[in-house]
Amino acid sequence: MSITMHADEPIPGVGADGRPDPAYAAALGLRPAPTGRRAAAFAIDATGWALLSIPAVIAAVQLVPVVMAGSATDLGTLAGPLVLSAVGQVLLTAYGLTQLGLHGRRGITIGKASLGLRSVNVATFARPGFWRVVLRVLVLWASQVVLPIVGPAICFASGLWDPEGRGRSWLDRVGRCLVLDVRRGLDPFDGKALRFARRQVESAPFAERPDLPSLASDRGIDERTFIPAARSSSGVVAAPPASRPEATVGAWTPPPVAEVAPPPATTSPSAAGPSPTATRASAILVFGDGARVAASGTTLIGRDPARADGDPERALLLPVADPTMGLSKTHAAVVFDEHGVHVVDRWSSNGTAIVEADGRSRELEAGVPHPLHAGASVRLGGVEFRVEEVRA
């Protein structure tokens, strides 16, 4: 599926001057193809040309002595070489057109596909386009005419001094192409993954925020005025950063706030048993990056989890970032109750697995609660976590 962008619609990652931003492509997870694999892909394509040209070469070898002799030759003698030459030309033409079509419409050649590389439009990350690829071939052919062997070698080697450091050769610039490593990076032809990556980049917080006016005083700014570094939507004012002079010279330090202990639980003489809140099970989810999240009741985990019909009103929504982009929107649920800990796959695209303490892994059937034993962990896409400190 391709997406057509209108001329007046800005292209993400392209500046006002029309130049693509390499940092935006890197933030999406696009990886430029390494020089060694690009060279290996070209060698595979060239090997195909060489093999298919064998009939034409044999025909030329047979015809050279006849032409050099200059004498009248029986037509039957020429029939074999001429047929071989025609077969060689047909094979080379078919191979060339196939390579052009694959490169223009799918961004691959036989060599690129073999090594996990793909050419895309450098601005939109869509297919390069057939005529752009034809233009690259014409420029390469012209370089061969002007400087045989040397000209094409310079064109291919020009990627080594690409000022952007992405290995784009002169031929890539002529065709507005960028060659990507889709084995280790994002494949932009995966429309769902690309849309998710764009949303992640566009929603990422800015590294620097402008200082907001102080809420502490209406006085002018001096060394005793506390200017908050940031505000949250809940109205909580953050502490000033330590690197700011006004925060270190005469800064106001808030008094410590004592922890308020919860009132002692009282049991009514007429109570038949503990309340539901008192028996609410809880635990700590420990993720691979060290993050620890307190959870209780039902916890929904995914890219952007949402409650469905039948989920508890107080279910915890836990969004998780997955660099491999293998998480579904609501991937799985972790349920804590008096019977222990259970994991339920929520019909995710890539499935959920429980990895036992001995290393054995079992895929979960969607919609069915599966018990999580001590020492086991849960794998969702490229994310893994374990459960600790279970309290019934």
Side-chain angles (χ1 to χ4, degrees):
M1 182 182 71
S2 61
I3 299 175
T4 303
M5 307 193 74
H6 300 287
D8 56 349
E9 183 179 349
I11 300 175
V14 176
D17 57 355
R19 304 183 67 177
D21 182 9
Y24 177 78
L28 291 177
L30 302 176
R31 291 193 177 186
T35 303
R37 279 170 58 195
R38 288 194 66 173
F42 173 76
I44 293 174
D45 293 332
T47 300
W49 284 102
L51 292 176
L52 294 177
S53 65
I54 290 177
V57 172
I58 294 175
V61 171
Q62 293 178 349
L63 288 174
V64 166
V66 176
V67 174
M68 295 296 294
S71 58
T73 306
D74 181 28
L75 187 60
T77 305
L78 297 176
L82 290 176
V83 170
L84 282 175
S85 179
V87 170
Q89 294 301 321
V90 169
L91 291 175
L92 291 174
T93 301
Y95 183 75
L97 291 176
T98 301
Q99 291 281 77
L100 286 175
L102 287 174
H103 201 176
R105 297 190 62 83
R106 299 185 58 189
I108 59 173
T109 61
I110 294 176
K112 285 184 172 66
S114 301
L115 298 179
L117 307 181
R118 189 186 297 279
S119 291
V120 297
N121 183 287
V122 69
T124 64
F125 312 129
R127 61 189 184 187
F130 179 79
W131 295 112
R132 283 283 182 181
V133 174
V134 170
L135 181 59
R136 294 174 83 253
V137 173
L138 291 176
V139 171
L140 182 63
W141 174 80
S143 68
Q144 171 68 12
V145 172
V146 176
L147 290 172
I149 300 178
V150 176
I154 294 176
C155 287
F156 287 122
S158 59
L160 297 175
W161 54 83
D162 176 17
E164 296 177 347
R166 297 196 287 179
R168 295 183 66 209
S169 66
W170 293 344
L171 298 175
D172 294 329
R173 294 184 178 278
V174 167
R176 287 186 62 78
C177 294
L178 172 64
V179 183
L180 299 174
D181 180 355
V182 295
R183 283 185 182 172
R184 295 181 172 85
L186 173 68
D187 184 355
F189 277 43
D190 184 345
K192 182 177 179 181
L194 180 61
R195 287 192 299 271
F196 176 68
R198 288 190 190 276
R199 287 198 300 268
Q200 289 289 95
V201 171
E202 292 166 2
S203 63
F206 294 102
E208 297 182 0
R209 298 176 182 267
D211 287 335
L212 300 174
S214 172
L215 296 180
S217 173
D218 57 357
R219 297 178 299 165
I221 299 176
D222 58 22
E223 68 277 5
R224 293 176 301 280
T225 302
F226 168 49
I227 299 179
R231 291 193 189 93
S232 71
S233 58
S234 60
V236 180
V237 180
S243 60
R244 292 181 46 158
E246 61 267 33
T248 58
V249 180
W252 175 79
T253 303
V257 180
E259 294 185 358
V260 180
T266 58
T267 305
S268 172
S270 60
S275 65
T277 303
T279 59
R280 186 178 178 85
S282 65
I284 303 294
L285 306 185
V286 182
F287 289 83
D289 59 358
R292 301 172 65 88
V293 179
S296 62
T298 298
T299 301
L300 303 178
I301 304 176
R303 189 177 68 246
D304 184 17
R307 297 181 186 88
D309 294 340
D311 286 332
E313 188 68 25
R314 297 176 59 188
L316 174 65
L317 305 181
L318 182 57
V320 177
D322 180 8
T324 66
M325 300 181 186
L327 281 180
S328 298
K329 182 178 179 181
T330 305
H331 198 107
V334 184
V335 181
F336 305 91
D337 56 24
E338 64 275 11
H339 302 295
V341 184
H342 292 79
V343 181
V344 184
D345 180 80
R346 299 294 290 265
W347 294 272
S348 61
S349 299
N350 296 314
T352 304
I354 291 180
V355 182
E356 301 291 352
D358 58 3
R360 291 182 297 107
S361 175
R362 54 190 172 100
E363 295 291 331
L364 305 188
E365 180 182 352
V368 178
H370 294 263
L372 187 64
H373 304 115
S377 59
V378 182
R379 184 170 61 238
L380 317 90
V383 176
E384 190 165 332
F385 68 88
R386 66 182 185 276
V387 178
E388 295 183 352
E389 303 179 21
V390 179
R391 300 183 182 90

